[in-house]
Amino acid sequence: MKKKAVELSFAWIFSIVVGAVILFIAIYFASQLIETSSYEINTKTTKKLIGIFDSLQTTAEESKTEKVTFAIDTKIYPSCNNEGDFGESIIQISEKFGFKNKWSKPGGDISAQDVYLFSEDIIEVNAHEDVYFFTKQFEMPFKTADMVMMYSKPYCFVNAPREIRNDIENLGQNVNLFAVTDIDSCSGESVSVCFDSNNCDVNVNTVAHTIEKNKETVYFIDETIYAAIFSSKGSYECGIKRIMMKLSQLSELYGRKAQFITQRGCNTGLYGDMVLLQGRAKEFKDMRELEYIKTTAELIKNKNGELGCYLF
Amino acid sequence: MLFVLEKKAQLKIQQMVFMILAITLFFVLVLIFYFATKVNDMKQDVIDLDREKASRLATKIASNPEFTFRGKSNAIDSDKLMILKEQKAYKNYWENINGFLIKKLAPETKNAECTLQNYPDCDEIKIFNVGKGVTSSSYVALCRIENVNGIGYDKCELAILSIYIENETE
């Protein structure tokens, strides 16, 4: 019996090989295209998010709020560096794309020198969930920067001091912050913040001016309490260092202004104090130095208040 | 006979190669067209975002600590601006901003640019690189402290603040 063999002509073999090569190249380019598109979309989303910070800038008012809803599952990667004259806040975004619903490669990092962002190292939100922002002014003794707090989970403040409760009330309903008297009133998904007790995710010691969270402790003064509560230790310390760098530059500006207006008969006598403040802010290394710089700033504020020609 | 068959096969291969080349060329052209359109769209997006940013900033920049006059809303401190002109560290502080132009509108202007020599008897304060990029403007109060008989008072005049935003596609 004769065996039947499938006879393939050269033309067929050639077509199959070339077809396979073309198919492979097409699939490769399609996957590359999808990756590039997701990178582009992530970068565009980041750029738009950075744009929101302009609207968060405070004018005469002390604080501002904003809420952003993401259409798809999103991860925000905020970071900070304190190189150069001002340092910068950096943001990258990754979204869930494609048939496999996998996290895409984060988009290009968008940085801003004039933004002081305080947040956890990764913020993850599901589709149609919100990311919340609120701003607090940092004054030492003049307005130095707007601290922007960014978070997605609800924060539950247990037995907060009156000032904090008033602040939460003034921020309004749209910020996902709650002040309660009992930790049992906090929802399970919320981050609990206790004052002068140690039963919560974040524990604030108002006497020692320290905040303990994730087994790490940070030092705060006045309004920096919010920055410390809402951010990771790294983000907080880098952000405060950047604000001190800005304070140093602003003190130089005010010091030179003091000299400048003296020529027009406005002698403030504050040039020396501004040089001192500039130097201390520039040399800032440890969070404990905040109190020391604050004392210098308060002295300048008092002197300025007594002047005929105000410097600030 | 074998020679004729071989010739026919060669001709078929040639036809196929030409066809493959034509298809490849077609797809390359389609890809080039696609990327050209995409890059154009991206450029337009960047311009739109810059314009948005410029208009947002024009209304907000006056509240920056470097500009604000004693924390007053929409009032800028001309003394600080004169110092800011010279403070090099600030040149790249505001992302994508080339420069600022503050022009006094009232009282009647002489179109003299402010320098340390003629200030405050001048009308225009130019900070950094003015004249390039997308612009956006807003009206502000240009204020400074004046000393009369040892007592300082706030002197404010109407001015227009223009922001020159770097066009990233340039």
Side-chain angles (χ1 to χ4, degrees):
Chain A
M1 205 171 139
K2 257 188 179 178
K3 269 192 183 175
K4 262 193 177 176
V6 182
E7 196 180 309
L8 284 175
S9 67
F10 174 77
W12 268 102
I13 297 167
F14 187 75
S15 313
I16 288 166
V17 171
V18 171
V21 169
I22 289 175
L23 217 61
F24 174 78
I25 292 171
I27 291 168
Y28 175 78
F29 273 110
S31 65
Q32 287 296 307
L33 214 63
I34 289 169
E35 204 166 296
T36 315
S37 299
S38 63
Y39 183 85
E40 184 199 329
I41 292 167
N42 286 337
T43 311
K44 266 189 201 169
T45 314
T46 316
K47 181 107 181 160
K48 280 183 182 162
L49 190 66
I50 282 274
I52 288 167
F53 297 131
D54 295 328
S55 61
L56 275 164
Q57 192 167 349
T58 58
T59 43
E61 71 273 16
E62 274 187 359
S63 56
K64 262 193 168 179
T65 64
E66 191 67 74
K67 185 171 86 171
V68 176
T69 310
F70 285 86
I72 48 176
D73 294 3
T74 306
K75 271 184 188 173
I76 305 169
Y77 300 93
S79 57
C80 163
N81 88 51
N82 48 28
E83 285 160 19
D85 291 314
F86 297 99
E88 54 189 5
S89 276
I90 304 159
I91 289 188
Q92 277 186 298
I93 276 180
S94 166
E95 293 176 311
K96 266 190 184 171
F97 285 118
F99 298 115
K100 289 182 184 170
N101 210 21
K102 274 172 66 180
W103 288 109
S104 56
K105 190 179 154 199
D109 50 356
I110 307 283
S111 60
Q113 290 195 91
D114 56 341
V115 173
Y116 296 84
L117 185 63
F118 293 90
S119 72
E120 294 294 344
D121 295 332
I122 301 175
I123 291 178
E124 189 174 337
V125 275
N126 295 325
H128 310 298
E129 281 185 358
D130 301 316
V131 170
Y132 302 88
F133 301 88
F134 77 90
T135 326
K136 277 272 163 197
Q137 281 186 12
F138 183 93
E139 284 188 17
M140 201 180 250
F142 35 78
K143 181 189 169 186
T144 307
D146 285 317
M147 299 182 287
V148 181
M149 271 56 77
M150 176 169 77
Y151 56 96
S152 61
K153 288 180 184 165
Y155 273 71
C156 183
F157 290 76
V158 186
N159 280 326
R162 182 185 291 274
E163 307 87 70
I164 305 270
R165 286 204 312 271
N166 287 346
D167 277 350
I168 293 171
E169 205 173 290
N170 292 337
L171 287 170
Q173 301 291 313
N174 267 337
V175 284
N176 221 11
L177 304 178
F178 308 95
V180 296
T181 49
D182 184 10
I183 192 165
D184 296 330
S185 311
C186 296
S187 68
E189 51 155 4
S190 66
V191 178
S192 54
V193 184
C194 283
F195 291 80
D196 299 318
S197 73
N198 296 310
N199 309 317
C200 292
D201 303 313
V202 181
N203 299 302
V204 184
N205 185 331
T206 55
V207 181
H209 287 258
T210 55
I211 285 175
E212 182 256 308
K213 95 185 215 195
N214 301 328
K215 292 176 185 166
E216 289 178 316
T217 307
V218 290
Y219 181 80
F220 72 87
I221 55 156
D222 307 330
E223 305 294 353
T224 69
I225 186 172
Y226 294 103
I229 290 172
F230 288 91
S231 55
S232 64
K233 190 181 181 189
S235 164
Y236 173 70
E237 292 188 347
C238 177
I240 296 294
K241 167 76 186 154
R242 285 189 58 222
I243 291 179
M244 288 300 118
M245 290 157 87
K246 173 92 181 278
L247 176 63
S248 171
Q249 292 291 343
L250 274 173
S251 306
E252 186 185 340
L253 184 75
Y254 278 111
R256 290 173 65 188
K257 182 189 163 181
Q259 281 183 315
F260 187 52
I261 60 173
T262 304
Q263 296 165 9
R264 296 208 310 272
C266 267
N267 191 2
T268 63
L270 283 175
Y271 174 72
D273 298 272
M274 284 299 168
V275 171
L276 185 71
L277 184 63
Q278 184 201 345
R280 286 186 175 168
K282 199 174 183 178
E283 298 302 315
F284 176 84
K285 279 190 180 72
D286 188 80
M287 293 296 131
R288 297 264 168 194
E289 290 169 33
L290 278 174
E291 194 64 52
Y292 175 57
I293 297 171
K294 186 184 158 189
T295 313
T296 313
E298 272 173 359
L299 210 72
I300 295 172
K301 190 179 181 179
N302 293 339
K303 280 188 185 174
N304 185 63
E306 288 164 9
L307 292 171
C309 277
Y310 295 115
L311 183 61
F312 52 88
Chain B
M1 183 70 179
L2 193 68
F3 179 72
V4 174
L5 271 175
E6 246 179 37
K7 267 251 164 173
K8 235 180 168 183
Q10 265 181 1
L11 204 70
K12 265 192 169 180
I13 290 166
Q14 269 177 2
Q15 272 178 345
M16 220 175 287
V17 167
F18 279 127
M19 202 55 203
I20 289 163
L21 277 175
I23 288 170
T24 314
L25 202 71
F26 172 73
F27 278 113
V28 166
L29 285 174
V30 169
L31 269 177
I32 289 171
F33 179 73
Y34 171 79
F35 280 117
T37 322
K38 213 164 165 64
V39 167
N40 241 359
D41 285 352
M42 272 172 80
K43 276 184 182 171
Q44 194 52 47
D45 282 348
V46 170
I47 292 168
D48 290 346
L49 282 170
D50 283 344
R51 285 207 180 115
E52 263 176 50
K53 191 185 168 82
S55 59
R56 262 197 321 265
L57 273 175
T59 54
K60 287 280 160 193
I61 203 85
S63 52
N64 260 258
E66 291 77 8
F67 285 75
T68 187
F69 180 74
R70 295 177 51 207
K72 287 181 182 165
S73 185
N74 223 25
I76 56 176
D77 187 331
S78 58
D79 292 326
K80 277 202 269 186
L81 297 185
M82 290 305 292
I83 309 294
L84 193 66
K85 265 164 83 92
E86 313 294 322
Q87 211 156 325
K88 295 278 179 282
Y90 276 101
K91 202 164 182 189
N92 300 313
Y93 178 64
W94 292 280
E95 218 71 35
N96 304 328
I97 292 182
N98 284 334
F100 305 92
L101 173 68
I102 300 95
K103 196 169 164 38
K104 223 184 273 177
L105 295 176
E108 210 169 296
T109 61
K110 300 166 198 143
N111 286 326
E113 190 188 338
C114 293
T115 60
L116 291 174
Q117 286 73 42
N118 67 3
Y119 180 85
D121 193 24
C122 55
D123 309 301
E124 273 184 10
I125 303 177
K126 287 181 181 172
I127 303 169
F128 311 135
N129 211 351
V130 166
K132 275 178 80 182
V134 186
T135 53
S136 186
S137 307
S138 73
Y139 291 99
V140 288
L142 184 66
C143 304
R144 65 175 185 273
I145 203 136
E146 282 283 311
N147 182 25
V148 178
N149 302 327
I151 298 165
Y153 74 96
D154 302 343
K155 182 171 183 176
C156 295
E157 291 156 315
L158 181 66
I160 190 161
L161 164 70
S162 303
I163 299 174
Y164 291 79
I165 299 260
E166 193 175 291
N167 193 340
E168 288 180 48
T169 56
E170 276 174 4

